[in-house]
Amino acid sequence: LYRDQLRPYGRILRKRLAELAHEAGRKDFDISAKDLRAVCASCPWLRIDEGEGSDWSVEIVGRLANFVDVYSPEDVYPEAFWQQAAIYFASLGDSSMVLPGGRYSCAQVLM
């Protein structure tokens, strides 16, 4: 998640761990958010950030936390990017325009 510049919120971290476990042949992997938080809290190399409500995240101690703000209204991409994206999406047929729910899942498909 750090490499992708995504803040490792507990819910996203759970998805990424399940994804990695699946790739390693551990299709039965499952950890509750409560247990994941407890594991992270017990590790001296990690720091829990409480966030808002139940939306906690974890950071690696001593590593620069350079995350993209997914809630920022600022558009950092040039107009040419959006024009090319519009051309690409317009070229797809209806059956290719189906994406899963959620930003993380959509990003995985689009990569």
Side-chain angles (χ1 to χ4, degrees):
L1 294 171
Y2 266 73
R3 188 177 11 172
D4 295 333
Q5 293 183 297
L6 293 174
R7 177 170 292 283
Y9 288 105
R11 57 190 156 71
I12 297 173
L13 185 55
R14 272 186 78 216
K15 288 179 184 180
R16 182 61 62 92
L17 289 172
E19 189 180 280
L20 292 171
H22 184 77
E23 288 172 9
R26 299 268 328 267
K27 294 173 181 40
D28 61 337
F29 176 84
D30 188 27
I31 186 168
S32 71
K34 181 180 177 181
D35 288 342
L36 177 58
R37 182 185 170 99
V39 169
C40 291
S42 71
C43 180
W45 303 310
L46 301 176
R47 182 181 70 242
I48 301 283
D49 179 11
E50 295 302 329
E52 294 183 26
S54 63
D55 210 10
W56 58 275
S57 64
V58 62
E59 293 180 9
I60 301 170
V61 173
R63 185 158 176 192
L64 178 64
N66 185 28
F67 305 122
V68 172
D69 181 359
V70 297
Y71 299 109
S72 172
E74 182 181 343
D75 185 357
V76 297
Y77 297 98
E79 184 61 30
F81 171 84
W82 295 114
Q83 291 170 352
Q84 288 298 313
I87 291 168
Y88 170 74
F89 287 121
S91 74
L92 298 175
D94 288 344
S95 63
S96 298
M97 293 296 287
V98 177
L99 291 171
R103 289 183 292 245
Y104 180 77
S105 299
C106 286
Q108 286 179 302
V109 171
L110 292 171
M111 297 297 289

